[in-house]
DNA sequence: AACAGCGTTTCCTAGTGGGAAACAAAGGAG
DNA sequence: CTCCTTTGTTTCCCACTAGGAAACGCTGTT
C-alpha cells in the first residue's frame, strides 16, 4: 500500500468511526506499525485534515475536509441540477449552452454542452472572463456587489478585446443597470469577433447570484428573430435551475 | 515535502481552484515533476478523493471528500452547539454531563464534561453502550425505529450487567414507551452498580433523534429531591440544543 | 508500587515516490 | 489538411522517504 492510499484509508476510517480513534487501533487495523501511522497522522493534523482531541489524544476528521467537501457539494449540485436544462436547450437551439460561475473578481466557464454544429468557439471549461465583457462576465458583474465592482474598476485597466468591449466605467455601470432591469445580458462580439451570447442569472437558495446560464454561438446564426425567442428560453432555463437549487422568488 | 503533505496540498489546491486543474499546472505550482503528481492523482481518483473529467482529463475534488466533510460538519455542529449547555449544567449540578450518539445499533458516548467532584465513573469518550441498559442506551433505543429494535432484540442475547438491567424484550419495549411518553429516561444502576443517570432526546432539524443529553454520577448523590429538579434541567438542556440545531417543534 | 497500555520518539534500512525522458493524443497555427 | 506545440500518460532508475523494531514517558489500573 502506498502512502497516498494509507492517507486515504486513514481519513476514511476516521470518518466512518463512531467518534474518535487512537493510533494503536488504527495501526492494528491497517496492519502497519504505529510509528508510521503516527507520523502520517501528525502531518494530517498539521494540515487540518485530522484533529486530535487534546484530552484523549485520539484522532478524528478535521476542518480541511469540511471545506473540501463543501466545494464538492456545491459543484455537484449545480452541475447535476443544471445538466438536463443545458441538454434540453442545446437540443432546441443547436447552440452551445454553458454555466458561468463568479470566482472572486472574475467569471469562469464552469460547464458547457456543445451544440451539434461544431464550429469551435474555443471557450474551454475553466476559461476566465473579465466582468466587463461577454454575456457571462457582464451578467455576473451586474449582480456583483457594486462597491466591490467600483474598486475593481478603479484598480484595473479594462482591455478592449473588440470594438464593442465596454471599457468606460460609467458606461459599464449603466449597462449593468440595464442588465439587472431586463434580467438578462447580451454580448455582441464583445469578447471575440463573430461571437454572440445571451445570459441570465441563476439564484441560489439565499437569493444570491454567483452563477449564470449562457447561450452562445457564431453571430451569423443569432438572427433578431431567433434572439427574441432565445432570450425567453435562457431566462426560463436559468429560473428552472434557480428553483431546483432551492431559490424562493417570494 | 512528504507524500502526505503532497496529497494534502493537491486536495486543497483542487478545492480552491475555480473549477478543474490539469496535471501540468498542478505539477508546476507544487514544484514537482508531473509524473509523480500524476501517480498520486491516479491513486486519489481510485479512492474517490478526486474526480477526473473524462472529456477534459482535468481533475477536481471528489465525492469521498464530501462524505468526510459531512461527518466533520455533523460532529462539529453538535459539539459546538452542545458544549456551552453541558458546561452550564455541569457547573450547576457538579455532576458529569455527556452527549450520547446512536451509531447503527449501539449508543456511543461522544462527548462529556466532567463534574468537579472527581469520583471516576470510567465512562470514556468512545465507549459503546447497548440499547437496553443505561440512560443513554435506553433513550436512543426508545427513539429508534421499533421494527429495527425488534430485529436486534430477536438476534442478540441481552446481557444482565446488574440486577436492574432489563433483558426481557416485552419489558424493554414497555420501558421505551414510558420513556417516549415522559420525554426522558432514567437509569438506576442498570449498567454498573452505584451509577445513576438521566437522559433526554436531542432532535435534529429533521425531527429525528440520534443523540441525547445525559447527566450521570454516583447513585448516592442522586437523591429524590435532586433528581426531581435535574430531570427538568436535562430536558431543558436537550431542548436548547435541539432548537440550536434547527429543530422546529411545531 | 508494579504493571499494562497508550501515544510519542528514535534509528536504520528496504521499498517507494521523484526525476528525466519518451510516448500518445489532442488542439492550434499556418 | 498537416505540422507543431502542449498535455496527459508511461517507463525506468536511483535517492530518500516511509516502515519496522525497540524504547521512552505518561496515564490509569490492579
Amino acid at each position: 500500500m502506498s502512502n497516498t492510499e494509507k492517507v486515504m484509508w486513514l481519513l476514511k476510517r476516521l470518518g466512518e468511526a463512531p467518534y474518535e480513534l487512537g493510533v494503536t487501533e488504527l495501526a492494528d487495523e491497517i496492519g502497519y506499525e504505529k510509528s508510521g501511522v503516527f507520523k502520517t497522522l501528525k502531518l494530517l493534523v498539521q494540515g487540518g485534515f485530522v484533529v486530535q482531541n487534546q484530552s484523549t489524544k485520539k484522532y478524528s476528521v478535521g476542518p480541511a475536509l469540511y471545506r473540501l467537501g463543501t466545494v464538492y457539494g456545491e459543484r455537484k449540485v449545480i452541475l447535476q441540477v443544471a445538466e438536463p436544462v443545458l441538454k434540453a436547450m442545446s437540443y432546441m437551439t443547436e447552440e452551445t449552452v454553458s454555466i458561468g460561475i463568479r470566482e472572486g473578481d472574475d467569471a469562469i466557464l464552469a460547464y458547457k454542452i456543445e451544440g451539434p454544429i461544431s464550429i469551435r468557439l474555443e471557450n474551454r471549461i475553466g476559461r476566465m472572463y473579465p466582468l466587463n465583457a461577454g454575456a457571462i462576465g457582464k451578467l455576473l458583474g451586474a449582480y456583483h456587489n457594486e462597491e466591490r465592482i467600483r474598486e475593481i474598476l478603479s484598480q484595473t485597466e479594462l482591455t478592449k478585446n473588440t470594438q464593442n468591449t465596454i471599457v468606460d466605467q460609467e458606461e459599464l455601470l449603466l449597462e449593468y443597470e440595464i442588465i439587472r432591469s431586463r434580467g438578462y445580458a447580451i454580448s455582441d462580439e464583445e469578447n471575440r469577433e463573430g461571437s454572440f451570447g445571451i445570459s441570465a442569472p441563476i439564484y441560489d437558495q439565499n437569493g444570491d447570484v454567483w452563477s449564470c446560464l449562457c447561450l452562445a454561438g457564431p453571430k451569423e446564426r443569432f438572427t433578431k428573430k431567433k434572439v427574441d425567442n432565445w432570450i425567453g428560453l435562457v431566462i426560463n432555463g436559468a429560473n428552472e435551475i434557480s428553483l431546483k437549487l432551492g431559490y424562493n422568488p417570494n
Side-chain angles (χ1 to χ4, degrees), chain A:
Chain A
M1 185 189 292
S2 73
N3 178 267
T4 303
E5 290 172 298
K6 190 179 76 169
V7 167
M8 292 191 292
W9 188 94
L10 285 172
L11 294 177
K12 283 184 178 172
R13 187 69 192 86
L14 289 174
E16 72 191 26
Y19 188 57
E20 293 175 331
L21 294 175
V23 178
T24 307
E25 46 192 325
L26 284 168
D28 286 348
E29 277 192 51
I30 202 174
Y32 277 143
E33 285 300 312
K34 55 180 178 175
S35 60
V37 172
F38 172 73
K39 241 189 284 186
T40 303
L41 282 172
K42 198 172 180 181
L43 291 169
L44 288 172
V45 168
Q46 282 173 16
F49 281 67
V50 164
V51 285
Q52 184 177 31
N53 184 326
Q54 281 308 319
S55 57
T56 64
K57 297 288 181 185
K58 290 180 185 295
Y59 299 87
S60 181
V61 289
L65 291 167
Y66 184 67
R67 197 171 287 188
L68 292 171
T70 307
V71 170
Y72 176 82
E74 283 173 359
R75 287 180 189 170
K76 186 190 161 202
V77 164
I78 188 164
L79 295 188
Q80 193 166 283
V81 160
E83 198 179 24
V85 177
L86 266 64
K87 276 196 174 147
M89 287 179 60
S90 168
Y91 178 78
M92 289 170 70
T93 62
E94 299 194 321
E95 298 292 348
T96 295
V97 192
S98 52
I99 294 281
I101 295 185
R102 182 166 54 73
E103 188 74 28
D105 297 330
D106 287 293
I108 279 162
L109 185 66
Y111 192 66
K112 76 157 192 267
I113 291 191
E114 302 256 12
I117 310 167
S118 59
I119 289 183
R120 291 187 187 119
L121 275 181
E122 87 239 28
N123 35 353
R124 274 203 295 270
I125 289 181
R127 175 174 169 181
M128 298 181 77
Y129 299 98
L131 295 182
N132 69 309
I136 290 179
K138 281 199 303 184
L139 191 128
L140 293 176
Y143 286 87
H144 196 10
N145 181 299
E146 186 156 344
E147 286 178 32
R148 182 76 195 117
I149 286 287
R150 286 183 186 276
E151 267 186 61
I152 302 169
L153 294 178
S154 64
Q155 285 168 7
T156 56
E157 184 79 19
L158 298 180
T159 55
K160 208 168 174 66
N161 296 321
T162 71
Q163 283 296 331
N164 293 351
T165 308
I166 303 173
V167 289
D168 180 69
Q169 176 165 344
E170 290 312 314
E171 193 183 339
L172 183 59
L173 291 172
L174 185 62
E175 170 76 359
Y176 281 170
E177 259 186 56
I178 296 172
I179 291 170
R180 283 193 298 268
S181 68
R182 294 192 305 199
Y184 65 91
I186 289 217
S187 163
D188 185 0
E189 296 188 308
E190 283 181 2
N191 261 328
R192 168 163 281 276
E193 314 275 350
S195 72
F196 196 99
I198 308 167
S199 65
I202 295 172
Y203 294 86
D204 68 10
Q205 50 188 344
N206 302 320
D208 296 325
V209 173
W210 51 277
S211 64
C212 70
L213 182 64
C214 179
L215 179 69
K219 177 171 180 170
E220 61 267 24
R221 288 208 296 263
F222 279 64
T223 60
K224 180 158 193 334
K225 193 179 161 190
K226 278 188 182 175
V227 168
D228 287 343
N229 274 329
W230 287 351
I231 285 172
L233 205 64
V234 174
I235 292 176
N236 285 339
N239 280 343
E240 194 180 334
I241 296 172
S242 300
L243 293 175
K244 283 188 185 165
L245 286 178
Y247 172 56
N248 182 7
N250 298 336

